[in-house]
Amino acid sequence: MAVTTTQEVRLRAPVLFDLDETLDCGQCFRFSPTGDGAWRGTAGGHTAVLRLTGGTLFITEEGRPAETAFWRRYLDLDRDYAAIRDGFLQDERLAACMRYAPGIRVLRQPAWEALLSFILSQNNHVPRIKGLVQRLCDGFGPLLPSGERDYPAPQTLAALTEEALAPLRAGWRAAYLLDAARRVADGSLDLVQIQRLPIEEARIALQQIRGVGPKVAECVLLYGMGRLEAFPLDVWMKRAMRTLFPGLTPADFGPYAGIAQQYIFHYCRRHPLEVA
DNA sequence: TGCCAGGATGATG
DNA sequence: CATCATCATGGC
């Protein structure tokens, strides 16, 4: 029989937190607007509708008792963004970027989910990535009490073949998913261990996976491993660095470079830079 | 209808 | 080490 459990909890939302900016900026691919201002999505085995009204975050979790601890962590609600932004205000250019998305936050997604998502993201745009992730979960992931399907477990994916993944329509990325899954399943790739390695070593470890290069590795570190010093560099960000911050390297932004990157990237999307 | 997408790989200069 | 074609697919 269908489980219809839904529970709502309320949290006092921190300042500098906005759902639209955070959930629709290319960090995650399983959240959709409900049409009335809220967002619904699944992550880490949890399905919820999130609504931010005034200073209160309403979380309605489906199919299981609401678990605020998970969402606090996922949305990174306990981090003091005001303090981090104070540091960024020293740079007028960065301050300008921040004004375009003052409430954006770096999500803390499960590492495995981020790895799958950003393998699929390569040479694709967000609408198609969302479709790929959707088909990956619906086709191969376990059914959750909410009725949605979670990301497939590494062992599940590792047992499959490229032919089995054909309905995914992922192109050459299907082989990359399988390589990642097999490495995690056979223990040769330990995401928990990589998470606490010095970042240079973590980068190298992740790039052992076929289909994981500098950009994907950086996204996994930043969005899936809480490594806020990571700094994904795509073509837009490279251009932004050249035109807005000539001479600077990602490391120059400090231990929260990844958050700075998020402000800059959002700024670039809404305010395309002149092609030098 | 084509162009191109929050890239990575393997082969060449 | 820098450049370059190639990869499968489909939003727009």
Side-chain angles (χ1 to χ4, degrees), chain A residues 6-268:
Chain A
T6 61
Q7 287 193 12
E8 180 189 83
V9 294
R10 306 177 177 197
L11 281 71
R12 189 169 59 81
V15 294
L16 303 175
F17 172 61
D18 184 88
L19 287 173
D20 297 345
E21 294 172 5
T22 300
L23 297 176
D24 190 30
C25 66
Q27 296 187 70
C28 61
F29 306 99
R30 292 203 76 184
F31 277 84
S32 307
T34 59
D36 60 350
W39 290 81
R40 181 175 184 273
T42 298
H46 298 256
T47 302
V49 173
L50 308 176
R51 181 188 308 278
L52 186 58
T53 303
T56 303
L57 176 64
F58 295 82
I59 303 175
T60 304
E61 188 152 343
E62 303 172 8
R64 59 184 289 182
E67 209 168 300
T68 59
F70 171 81
W71 292 106
R72 294 191 79 91
R73 178 183 169 83
Y74 184 82
L75 298 167
D76 203 20
L77 296 182
D78 295 317
R79 192 180 304 279
D80 187 354
Y81 268 61
I84 295 169
R85 287 169 60 98
D86 283 345
F88 291 161
L89 286 173
Q90 303 300 319
D91 188 307
E92 188 50 48
R93 301 161 295 183
L94 200 44
C97 290
M98 292 195 293
R99 285 196 282 273
Y100 279 76
I104 201 168
R105 279 180 178 242
V106 174
L107 296 173
R108 302 182 70 179
Q109 307 176 54
W112 172 241
E113 297 185 3
L115 179 56
L116 293 177
S117 297
F118 286 97
I119 285 175
L120 290 174
S121 80
Q122 67 174 258
N123 197 230
N124 271 146
H125 41 56
V126 172
R128 191 163 114 85
I129 300 167
K130 286 185 174 178
L132 287 167
V133 170
Q134 185 75 47
R135 290 196 293 279
L136 176 67
C137 296
D138 288 348
F140 306 98
L143 187 63
L144 296 170
S146 64
E148 299 293 327
R149 287 183 183 275
D150 205 2
Y151 279 81
Q155 303 87 316
T156 305
L157 220 47
L160 300 178
T161 62
E162 283 191 55
E163 304 80 72
L165 286 177
L168 200 51
R169 314 302 295 166
W172 71 84
R173 305 167 193 83
Y176 297 162
L177 294 179
L178 291 181
D179 185 60
R182 286 169 183 155
R183 287 174 189 265
V184 173
D186 73 15
S188 60
L189 183 75
D190 184 343
L191 294 176
V192 176
Q193 185 190 350
I194 291 174
Q195 192 159 357
R196 21 171 239 247
L197 287 176
I199 192 146
E200 296 293 351
E201 298 176 32
R203 288 187 175 109
I204 292 172
L206 285 171
Q207 290 181 33
Q208 300 310 302
I209 306 167
R210 279 191 59 77
V212 176
K215 168 64 167 49
V216 172
E218 216 65 9
C219 287
V220 173
L221 285 164
L222 181 57
Y223 304 126
M225 292 186 166
R227 301 300 295 264
L228 297 183
E229 70 270 46
F231 197 98
L233 279 169
D234 61 14
V235 287
W236 280 94
M237 283 304 299
K238 287 176 182 170
R239 182 178 302 166
M241 291 300 284
R242 277 190 286 104
T243 60
L244 288 177
F245 305 96
L248 265 62
T249 66
D252 292 325
F253 290 108
Y256 301 106
I259 296 179
Q261 186 270 0
Q262 209 63 23
Y263 294 124
I264 299 167
F265 183 74
H266 198 96
Y267 170 81
C268 291

